[in-house]
């Protein structure tokens, strides 16, 4: 059971980001996908970083490409260890 297509969006950081090295990126856009719902207290969010994949496609599939399943699909979704029926999952 996959968690479905999820919601894909992006967040623009027009002020840029300063890296640990001291270098700066002038403008940054962070792509992310979400599954599930944020609860009323806002304390059920789980952030999943991409590790080595370089992509935010951690679970489910794209609506226009249902055979392209996310790299951690076996862990994220309803009834799975990171259940999108309990958590608001954010893949960046």
């Amino acid at each position: 059971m996959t968690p479905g297509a999820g919601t894909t969006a992006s967040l623009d950081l027009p002020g840029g980001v300063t890296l640990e090295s001291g270098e700066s990126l002038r403008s940054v856009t962070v792509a992310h996908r979400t599954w599930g719902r944020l609860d009323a207290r806002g304390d059920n969010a789980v952030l999943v970083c991409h590790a080595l994949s370089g992509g935010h496609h951690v679970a489910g599939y794209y609506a226009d490409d249902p055979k392209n399943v996310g790299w951690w699909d076996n862990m994220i979704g309803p009834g799975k260890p990171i259940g999108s029926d309990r958590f608001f999952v954010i893949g960046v």
Side-chain angles (χ1 to χ4, degrees), residues 54-78:
H56 62 286
H57 182 44
V58 297
Y61 54 86
Y62 292 110
D64 62 347
D65 189 5
K67 293 183 180 183
N68 183 4
V69 179
W71 52 265
W72 217 20
D73 190 69
N74 63 329
M75 296 295 290
I76 298 170

Side-chain angles (χ1 to χ4, degrees), residues 1-9 31-36 46-51 53-85 87-92:
M1 175 188 329
T2 63
T7 301
T8 302
H32 61 280
R33 295 182 76 203
T34 62
W35 298 267
V46 175
L47 179 65
V48 179
C49 298
H50 66 75
S53 74
H56 62 286
H57 182 44
V58 297
Y61 54 86
Y62 292 110
D64 62 347
D65 189 5
K67 293 183 180 183
N68 183 4
V69 179
W71 52 265
W72 217 20
D73 190 69
N74 63 329
M75 296 295 290
I76 298 170
K80 295 181 182 179
I82 303 174
S84 57
D85 47 348
F87 300 110
F88 178 62
V89 184
I90 307 161
V92 297

